[in-house]
Structures are given as C-alpha cells and as structure tokens.
Amino acid sequence: MKISFIYILLLLWVNTIWTQDIPRYNNSEISIEESIDFIGNWKTSGKCKSSFISGNFAYITNNNILEILDISDPTSPNLIGQATLNSSFLSEDIFGKGDQVYIANYATIYMFDVSDPSNPDTVTSFEVESIINDIYMVNDVLYVIASYDFYILDISDPTTITQLGKLTLPDASLGLTRFHVQGNYAYLGSWSDGLYIIDISDTANPSIHGRFLERSYIVFAQDPYAYVADSRYLYILDITDKVIPDIVDRRNNVDIPHDIFVDDNYIYTATEGGLVIYNKGDLSFVTSYSIADIGERVLIEEGLIYLSGNSEGLNILQHIDPNAVEDFKDNSSSFRLEQNYPNPFNPTTTIQFELRETSYVNLSVYNNLGEMVAELENSEFKSGHYHTKFDASKFSSGIYYYKLKANDFVQAHKMIFLK
C-alpha cells in the first residue's frame, strides 16, 4: 500500500513536469493547476514556422511548402491542399486575406490564390533586398521587416504587389526581429537596439517617432500599452507617449519567448519549450504547456490557441480559465465537460458532461500521441446531465485525454490511469 501511494505521488509529479515548463529564472509562481488542454495536432514533414487561420482553414508553412488544412474538426486537422514554392529556402511567416495568402520565404514574398483550397495557385512574388524576418497585414497593406529594412507594400490588387514606402534602420546593428502594427504606428523589435516606434500615417514616408532602448525581441501593441519581451524580461510599456514609452511593469520570463499574442485577459508567448501564459494585468504566471519542440508562433482564434512548432507542426490547444467555468449556470456556453472522477483511477473512471440543447455528441479517449484509443459516445443527446464510464483495464498505465465534441464545442481534459 505504501509503495502504491509513493508511485501515485511520483507519477503526479512527473505529470506536472511534463505539462509545464520549468522556469529559467523564477519558479516561485508555478501553479500545478491544469488549464491548457490538447485539442489536436498536424505533424509536418519539415519546419512549421507560422500559421494563418481563416474560418475552417489553417494555412501553414512546412519548409518551402504551403499546406492548407481543414480544421472544421480541430481534433483531427485534415490536409486538403498544398503547393511547393519555387525556392529551396525555409518559409518564415504567412498571412492572408480573402482568397490571397502571402508567404515570406528568404527575401521573397509569394502570393497565392487559395479560392480553391485544394489547388492553391501562385499568382506573383515580390523581392526585397535582404532576408525577411516577419510580415504583418492590415486591410490592403502588407508590412515587412527584413534585416534592417521596414517595407510597406500595397496588396489591394489581387494580381500584384507594389511598394508604397521603405525605411532603413541602420542603428539596428544586429537586425530587426518581430513587429506589430496598430493604428498609425508600427512597433519594431530588434536584436540589440530596443524597440522602434514608426509613424506609418504617410505610407510613402514612414519615419521613426519614438524609441524604447531596452532589448525588445518580440512585441504586441494594444493601446495604451505595448507588451515587449527579450530573452529574459517581459515588459508592459505605457505607449501614451510614443516618443518615450514608460515601463509600467517588468518580470522575468518563465521561458525564452519567440512570439507573443495578447487578448483581453492574457499574454500568450510561444517559447523554447512550448507555450507560457501570463496574466495581462500584473504579469503573474498563469500556466504553461510543454511540447518536445520550440514554439515559433502563437495565434488565438475563436477561443483556440494555434501554436506553430519548429518541427512539431501545428498544435491546437485550448486555455480553460477555471474562473470562467466555475459555475455553469453563468456560462454562456451550452456545453460543459467535467473532470473525470476518480483521477488517478484503476481501472475505471466516470466522465460527466452537461448539455443545454440537443446535440450530436462524440466523446473519445486519446493517448499521449494523440491517437484515439476508445470512443465512449457517438450519438445524439437531449439537453441534460450525463455520465459515462471508461474502463482502461486493457490499456497500459499512463496519461490519457478525453475530448467532447458537441456542435461547434470542443473541450478536452487529462486523466491518469494507474495499474
């Protein structure tokens, strides 16, 4: 009995380490509460550096290949189209609008017509003078940073790309990194010379408007603040005065960030080890999710997190705010999936879910590799509270996931089976 108890504690400890990044600078705030669930994954044959999501489609880079995925069922992304670029270089970033998708590959922007997702067609390309690090799109304008140069491109014509303006930043001695655009300003991070705030109101003549001199590799602007990070620190900057932004708060990163996305409540960072989420208000650590890879880009769309991995492909995750699901009566969702009980279990456990409306329900169990190992429910249910048992006696001990799909709702939780 004593040995079994020790084994349970050991597995729970391993599970905590497996699901969370170990902080590099400060581990005093790490919480063991699980709040990021695995939803689905698309494994690429090469490096998936970035993704763009539009409706039921995900457009991703796979080395020098554009891949188009049907993600109408995010638990099982399905490849429906692809095209190989006329380049042997690795694609760095991807963006799109309407039927056009733009891919940054070395020193070239490639435009694709994706009106037929099963057969994407190259339309045109645009050459810049150095290696592209990042692109960003607002309406009919595509912004590009390449080494020391900032380009503003007109993409209003779906058949061509034309240059509107350009600004060279010679002081960025090691080059530009990531950037973000909001309103009449672009916020450009650099390897060695801090943050450049660029006035883009005159697209033909962009100009430096302000500076933040601390190292700023990645940035996300959301007036009146900008969220900036380097390899060690995450900052909140007050950008009311765009000439000289003020530091509102600073903290040590839990893991080295590669990309950043900010919504109403949280700061999401793609990191060396996966994903780390911070509270937007006070920069406190919220939770993290580890992958056996480098998290390159992070994007939030319709409540799902799309994390591009350097070699892991596209990971689809969901951040579950425990405060948002504490009381189902106050939750606007028509569905709820509860944590299994008991957990850990041997060999059976009960899974409960609640429906407010009649729905076709699929409840399935997956192993650590994302492979479905059991289908518990697959039929129509009327509104109400339901429970079903999962018998794992034929399976090996370990970590499993169970996922509920009901209409457009998808949620997953983790459970531990101990023999």
Side-chain angles (χ1 to χ4, degrees):
M1 182 71 180
K2 182 178 180 181
I3 294 176
S4 297
F5 179 70
I6 293 174
Y7 180 57
I8 291 173
L9 289 178
L10 179 61
L11 188 55
L12 285 171
W13 176 79
V14 170
N15 175 50
T16 300
I17 297 299
W18 182 85
T19 56
Q20 297 182 343
D21 290 323
I22 299 175
R24 297 173 183 267
Y25 303 108
N26 179 7
N27 63 4
S28 63
E29 298 172 78
I30 295 294
S31 167
I32 62 171
E33 181 174 306
E34 299 292 341
S35 57
I36 300 179
D37 290 332
F38 172 84
I39 300 298
N41 169 266
W42 174 257
K43 184 74 172 71
T44 50
S45 59
K47 294 182 183 297
C48 177
K49 300 282 282 186
S50 188
S51 66
F52 166 69
I53 311 300
S54 179
N56 289 327
F57 299 107
Y59 304 87
I60 67 173
T61 62
N62 177 6
N63 281 351
N64 64 332
I65 301 172
L66 163 65
E67 291 189 339
I68 303 177
L69 310 177
D70 181 345
I71 54 170
S72 53
D73 177 1
T75 66
S76 302
N78 180 41
L79 180 67
I80 59 173
Q82 62 180 18
T84 302
L85 279 64
N86 185 27
S87 167
S88 59
F89 296 108
L90 176 68
S91 297
E92 181 66 28
D93 200 6
I94 185 170
F95 240 101
K97 70 178 183 76
D99 292 332
Q100 281 73 48
V101 166
Y102 301 82
I103 297 179
N105 180 277
Y106 197 67
T108 305
I109 300 289
Y110 291 89
M111 178 201 289
F112 282 86
D113 182 339
V114 293
S115 54
D116 178 3
S118 64
N119 186 32
D121 184 35
T122 305
V123 177
T124 189
S125 62
F126 183 88
E127 299 285 336
V128 298
E129 297 177 7
S130 50
I131 301 173
I132 300 170
N133 292 329
D134 200 11
I135 63 176
Y136 192 83
M137 181 185 301
V138 179
N139 299 323
D140 290 333
V141 179
L142 184 67
Y143 302 90
V144 179
I145 56 172
S147 294
Y148 312 100
D149 298 322
F150 173 62
Y151 293 85
I152 302 178
L153 307 179
D154 183 352
I155 54 172
S156 58
D157 184 341
T159 64
T160 188
I161 302 172
T162 57
Q163 181 173 313
L164 294 172
K166 177 186 174 184
L167 175 66
T168 298
L169 300 164
D171 291 339
S173 56
L174 297 180
L176 301 169
T177 51
R178 296 278 193 262
F179 76 108
H180 193 232
V181 175
Q182 187 189 44
N184 289 325
Y185 296 92
Y187 301 81
L188 280 57
S190 69
W191 286 115
S192 59
D193 293 285
L195 181 72
Y196 292 86
I197 301 177
I198 309 300
D199 186 337
I200 55 175
S201 56
D202 180 357
T203 56
N205 297 289
S207 59
I208 298 175
H209 186 83
R211 293 284 302 276
F212 173 65
L213 297 179
E214 300 292 337
R215 289 189 304 176
S216 307
Y217 298 165
I218 59 175
V219 57
F220 193 102
Q222 197 178 71
D223 269 339
Y225 302 110
Y227 303 84
V228 176
D230 65 3
S231 60
R232 186 173 183 184
Y233 294 116
L234 173 63
Y235 298 90
I236 298 179
L237 303 181
D238 185 336
I239 53 174
T240 304
D241 179 359
K242 292 178 172 55
V243 177
I244 306 177
D246 291 327
I247 298 176
V248 176
D249 202 355
R250 186 189 79 170
R251 65 152 292 149
N252 290 104
N253 292 314
V254 170
D255 196 9
I256 297 175
H258 285 233
D259 194 27
I260 188 169
F261 189 97
V262 181
D263 66 10
D264 291 341
N265 299 305
Y266 300 100
I267 302 168
Y268 304 81
T269 58
T271 70
E272 289 279 323
L275 177 74
V276 178
I277 302 178
Y278 303 94
N279 188 292
K280 180 179 171 182
D282 60 8
L283 298 185
S284 59
F285 172 84
V286 176
T287 189
S288 63
Y289 186 91
S290 295
I291 60 175
D293 193 11
I294 295 173
E296 291 286 357
R297 305 273 182 158
V298 60
L299 176 65
I300 314 299
E301 191 74 29
E302 297 295 328
L304 295 180
I305 304 168
Y306 295 88
L307 179 67
S308 301
N310 193 45
S311 59
E312 281 281 301
L314 182 66
N315 297 277
I316 305 175
L317 310 170
Q318 186 176 38
H319 174 215
I320 306 301
D321 183 348
N323 296 320
V325 298
E326 186 74 26
D327 185 354
F328 183 59
K329 293 180 181 179
D330 295 329
N331 191 335
S332 59
S333 173
S334 296
F335 310 96
R336 181 183 180 185
L337 178 65
E338 299 179 5
Q339 187 65 49
N340 65 301
Y341 182 84
N343 188 41
F345 65 96
N346 179 27
T348 62
T349 188
T350 298
I351 299 171
Q352 300 183 69
F353 58 94
E354 192 166 354
L355 312 174
R356 281 185 176 178
E357 60 188 54
T358 299
S359 173
Y360 198 91
V361 169
N362 180 275
L363 179 64
S364 299
V365 177
Y366 297 78
N367 62 20
N368 253 345
L369 299 177
E371 302 167 333
M372 188 174 74
V373 297
E375 187 175 64
L376 306 182
E377 304 289 353
N378 190 33
S379 61
E380 187 174 83
F381 286 77
K382 295 182 178 180
S383 61
H385 188 275
Y386 298 90
H387 64 272
T388 186
K389 287 191 178 295
F390 172 53
D391 186 343
S393 55
K394 296 181 180 180
F395 300 104
S396 58
S397 297
I399 298 170
Y400 293 85
Y401 298 88
Y402 58 98
K403 301 177 188 175
L404 176 71
K405 293 185 289 184
N407 293 345
D408 294 330
F409 176 88
V410 178
Q411 190 174 343
H413 286 306
K414 188 182 299 180
M415 56 185 173
I416 302 172
F417 172 39
L418 291 177
K419 281 188 175 180

mmCIF file of all heavy atoms in Angstrom, residues 133 145-149 169-178 189-194 196 216:
data_model
loop_
_atom_site.group_PDB
_atom_site.id
_atom_site.type_symbol
_atom_site.label_atom_id
_atom_site.label_comp_id
_atom_site.label_asym_id
_atom_site.label_seq_id
_atom_site.Cartn_x
_atom_site.Cartn_y
_atom_site.Cartn_z
ATOM 1 N N ASN A 133 12.236 38.623 -41.876
ATOM 2 C CA ASN A 133 12.036 38.049 -40.542
ATOM 3 C C ASN A 133 10.567 37.952 -40.141
ATOM 4 O O ASN A 133 10.190 37.067 -39.378
ATOM 5 C CB ASN A 133 12.775 38.878 -39.490
ATOM 6 C CG ASN A 133 14.270 38.792 -39.627
ATOM 7 O OD1 ASN A 133 14.802 37.779 -40.058
ATOM 8 N ND2 ASN A 133 14.962 39.857 -39.273
ATOM 9 N N ILE A 145 9.439 43.276 -42.374
ATOM 10 C CA ILE A 145 10.770 43.641 -41.895
ATOM 11 C C ILE A 145 11.760 42.610 -42.418
ATOM 12 O O ILE A 145 11.512 41.409 -42.399
ATOM 13 C CB ILE A 145 10.855 43.759 -40.360
ATOM 14 C CG1 ILE A 145 10.417 42.478 -39.655
ATOM 15 C CG2 ILE A 145 10.072 44.946 -39.872
ATOM 16 C CD1 ILE A 145 10.684 42.520 -38.150
ATOM 17 N N ALA A 146 12.899 43.116 -42.921
ATOM 18 C CA ALA A 146 13.941 42.272 -43.498
ATOM 19 C C ALA A 146 15.286 42.860 -43.106
ATOM 20 O O ALA A 146 15.640 43.954 -43.569
ATOM 21 C CB ALA A 146 13.796 42.212 -45.018
ATOM 22 N N SER A 147 16.004 42.163 -42.240
ATOM 23 C CA SER A 147 17.287 42.650 -41.717
ATOM 24 C C SER A 147 17.113 44.034 -41.108
ATOM 25 O O SER A 147 16.516 44.175 -40.062
ATOM 26 C CB SER A 147 18.347 42.638 -42.806
ATOM 27 O OG SER A 147 18.619 41.308 -43.191
ATOM 28 N N TYR A 148 17.563 45.116 -41.773
ATOM 29 C CA TYR A 148 17.474 46.467 -41.232
ATOM 30 C C TYR A 148 16.358 47.286 -41.886
ATOM 31 O O TYR A 148 16.214 48.474 -41.591
ATOM 32 C CB TYR A 148 18.793 47.212 -41.457
ATOM 33 C CG TYR A 148 20.003 46.434 -41.060
ATOM 34 C CD1 TYR A 148 20.764 45.773 -42.014
ATOM 35 C CD2 TYR A 148 20.387 46.346 -39.728
ATOM 36 C CE1 TYR A 148 21.883 45.037 -41.646
ATOM 37 C CE2 TYR A 148 21.500 45.621 -39.354
ATOM 38 C CZ TYR A 148 22.250 44.963 -40.317
ATOM 39 O OH TYR A 148 23.356 44.227 -39.946
ATOM 40 N N ASP A 149 15.576 46.673 -42.767
ATOM 41 C CA ASP A 149 14.622 47.431 -43.581
ATOM 42 C C ASP A 149 13.175 47.151 -43.183
ATOM 43 O O ASP A 149 12.801 46.010 -42.871
ATOM 44 C CB ASP A 149 14.796 47.092 -45.060
ATOM 45 C CG ASP A 149 16.178 47.470 -45.579
ATOM 46 O OD1 ASP A 149 16.683 48.527 -45.163
ATOM 47 O OD2 ASP A 149 16.746 46.704 -46.375
ATOM 48 N N LEU A 169 16.826 51.166 -41.063
ATOM 49 C CA LEU A 169 17.198 51.487 -39.688
ATOM 50 C C LEU A 169 18.637 51.033 -39.450
ATOM 51 O O LEU A 169 18.868 49.938 -38.918
ATOM 52 C CB LEU A 169 16.238 50.801 -38.712
ATOM 53 C CG LEU A 169 14.768 51.208 -38.879
ATOM 54 C CD1 LEU A 169 13.850 50.241 -38.181
ATOM 55 C CD2 LEU A 169 14.559 52.615 -38.354
ATOM 56 N N PRO A 170 19.598 51.817 -39.826
ATOM 57 C CA PRO A 170 21.000 51.396 -39.728
ATOM 58 C C PRO A 170 21.472 51.182 -38.303
ATOM 59 O O PRO A 170 22.451 50.485 -38.059
ATOM 60 C CB PRO A 170 21.757 52.555 -40.403
ATOM 61 C CG PRO A 170 20.844 53.736 -40.278
ATOM 62 C CD PRO A 170 19.463 53.178 -40.373
ATOM 63 N N ASP A 171 20.781 51.803 -37.322
ATOM 64 C CA ASP A 171 21.190 51.631 -35.925
ATOM 65 C C ASP A 171 20.861 50.237 -35.385
ATOM 66 O O ASP A 171 21.384 49.836 -34.345
ATOM 67 C CB ASP A 171 20.508 52.676 -35.040
ATOM 68 C CG ASP A 171 21.020 54.077 -35.304
ATOM 69 O OD1 ASP A 171 22.138 54.185 -35.844
ATOM 70 O OD2 ASP A 171 20.310 55.040 -35.003
ATOM 71 N N ALA A 172 19.959 49.520 -36.076
ATOM 72 C CA ALA A 172 19.602 48.166 -35.650
ATOM 73 C C ALA A 172 20.731 47.227 -36.058
ATOM 74 O O ALA A 172 20.632 46.467 -37.015
ATOM 75 C CB ALA A 172 18.285 47.747 -36.281
ATOM 76 N N SER A 173 21.837 47.293 -35.303
ATOM 77 C CA SER A 173 23.099 46.697 -35.724
ATOM 78 C C SER A 173 23.032 45.199 -35.985
ATOM 79 O O SER A 173 23.754 44.682 -36.838
ATOM 80 C CB SER A 173 24.180 46.996 -34.681
ATOM 81 O OG SER A 173 23.774 46.533 -33.399
ATOM 82 N N LEU A 174 22.169 44.490 -35.274
ATOM 83 C CA LEU A 174 22.045 43.048 -35.491
ATOM 84 C C LEU A 174 20.760 42.688 -36.231
ATOM 85 O O LEU A 174 20.431 41.520 -36.375
ATOM 86 C CB LEU A 174 22.112 42.305 -34.151
ATOM 87 C CG LEU A 174 23.430 42.429 -33.383
ATOM 88 C CD1 LEU A 174 23.359 41.660 -32.076
ATOM 89 C CD2 LEU A 174 24.598 41.924 -34.225
ATOM 90 N N GLY A 175 20.021 43.684 -36.669
ATOM 91 C CA GLY A 175 18.824 43.439 -37.452
ATOM 92 C C GLY A 175 17.542 43.491 -36.640
ATOM 93 O O GLY A 175 17.538 43.509 -35.401
ATOM 94 N N LEU A 176 16.416 43.526 -37.360
ATOM 95 C CA LEU A 176 15.085 43.558 -36.762
ATOM 96 C C LEU A 176 14.586 42.138 -36.523
ATOM 97 O O LEU A 176 15.011 41.195 -37.193
ATOM 98 C CB LEU A 176 14.130 44.314 -37.678
ATOM 99 C CG LEU A 176 14.522 45.769 -37.977
ATOM 100 C CD1 LEU A 176 13.652 46.346 -39.097
ATOM 101 C CD2 LEU A 176 14.419 46.626 -36.721
ATOM 102 N N THR A 177 13.667 41.971 -35.585
ATOM 103 C CA THR A 177 13.209 40.636 -35.194
ATOM 104 C C THR A 177 11.724 40.437 -35.494
ATOM 105 O O THR A 177 11.360 39.904 -36.524
ATOM 106 C CB THR A 177 13.490 40.413 -33.699
ATOM 107 O OG1 THR A 177 12.958 41.521 -32.952
ATOM 108 C CG2 THR A 177 14.973 40.282 -33.450
ATOM 109 N N ARG A 178 10.855 40.870 -34.591
ATOM 110 C CA ARG A 178 9.409 40.768 -34.757
ATOM 111 C C ARG A 178 8.806 42.170 -34.664
ATOM 112 O O ARG A 178 9.415 43.077 -34.109
ATOM 113 C CB ARG A 178 8.795 39.880 -33.675
ATOM 114 C CG ARG A 178 9.254 38.441 -33.715
ATOM 115 C CD ARG A 178 8.470 37.672 -34.742
ATOM 116 N NE ARG A 178 8.684 36.246 -34.567
ATOM 117 C CZ ARG A 178 9.534 35.522 -35.263
ATOM 118 N NH1 ARG A 178 10.271 36.109 -36.194
ATOM 119 N NH2 ARG A 178 9.661 34.230 -35.049
ATOM 120 N N GLY A 189 10.656 45.374 -33.117
ATOM 121 C CA GLY A 189 11.664 44.861 -32.203
ATOM 122 C C GLY A 189 12.980 44.650 -32.928
ATOM 123 O O GLY A 189 13.027 44.510 -34.151
ATOM 124 N N SER A 190 14.074 44.627 -32.168
ATOM 125 C CA SER A 190 15.394 44.415 -32.758
ATOM 126 C C SER A 190 16.237 43.555 -31.821
ATOM 127 O O SER A 190 15.960 43.443 -30.629
ATOM 128 C CB SER A 190 16.087 45.743 -33.025
ATOM 129 O OG SER A 190 16.445 46.382 -31.811
ATOM 130 N N TRP A 191 17.289 42.980 -32.375
ATOM 131 C CA TRP A 191 18.148 42.107 -31.583
ATOM 132 C C TRP A 191 18.962 42.890 -30.550
ATOM 133 O O TRP A 191 19.242 42.378 -29.468
ATOM 134 C CB TRP A 191 19.113 41.340 -32.493
ATOM 135 C CG TRP A 191 18.480 40.247 -33.274
ATOM 136 C CD1 TRP A 191 18.341 40.160 -34.632
ATOM 137 C CD2 TRP A 191 17.880 39.064 -32.745
ATOM 138 N NE1 TRP A 191 17.689 39.003 -34.981
ATOM 139 C CE2 TRP A 191 17.397 38.305 -33.845
ATOM 140 C CE3 TRP A 191 17.697 38.560 -31.460
ATOM 141 C CZ2 TRP A 191 16.756 37.083 -33.691
ATOM 142 C CZ3 TRP A 191 17.051 37.336 -31.305
ATOM 143 C CH2 TRP A 191 16.587 36.618 -32.407
ATOM 144 N N SER A 192 19.348 44.110 -30.878
ATOM 145 C CA SER A 192 20.301 44.795 -29.999
ATOM 146 C C SER A 192 19.950 46.227 -29.641
ATOM 147 O O SER A 192 20.581 46.799 -28.746
ATOM 148 C CB SER A 192 21.686 44.795 -30.663
ATOM 149 O OG SER A 192 21.634 45.456 -31.922
ATOM 150 N N ASP A 193 18.977 46.832 -30.319
ATOM 151 C CA ASP A 193 18.767 48.270 -30.152
ATOM 152 C C ASP A 193 17.363 48.640 -29.711
ATOM 153 O O ASP A 193 16.864 49.725 -30.017
ATOM 154 C CB ASP A 193 19.116 48.991 -31.459
ATOM 155 C CG ASP A 193 20.595 48.894 -31.770
ATOM 156 O OD1 ASP A 193 21.374 49.606 -31.119
ATOM 157 O OD2 ASP A 193 20.957 48.085 -32.628
ATOM 158 N N GLY A 194 16.710 47.750 -28.986
ATOM 159 C CA GLY A 194 15.433 48.088 -28.403
ATOM 160 C C GLY A 194 14.289 48.126 -29.395
ATOM 161 O O GLY A 194 14.314 47.487 -30.447
ATOM 162 N N TYR A 196 11.672 50.198 -31.865
ATOM 163 C CA TYR A 196 11.469 51.378 -32.705
ATOM 164 C C TYR A 196 9.965 51.584 -32.896
ATOM 165 O O TYR A 196 9.246 50.646 -33.265
ATOM 166 C CB TYR A 196 12.105 51.189 -34.084
ATOM 167 C CG TYR A 196 13.604 51.129 -34.085
ATOM 168 C CD1 TYR A 196 14.271 49.928 -33.873
ATOM 169 C CD2 TYR A 196 14.362 52.269 -34.328
ATOM 170 C CE1 TYR A 196 15.656 49.869 -33.898
ATOM 171 C CE2 TYR A 196 15.753 52.220 -34.347
ATOM 172 C CZ TYR A 196 16.396 51.021 -34.129
ATOM 173 O OH TYR A 196 17.761 50.957 -34.161
ATOM 174 N N SER A 216 14.357 44.379 -27.110
ATOM 175 C CA SER A 216 12.947 44.093 -27.410
ATOM 176 C C SER A 216 12.867 43.170 -28.615
ATOM 177 O O SER A 216 12.849 43.622 -29.750
ATOM 178 C CB SER A 216 12.193 45.409 -27.692
ATOM 179 O OG SER A 216 12.386 46.343 -26.650
#
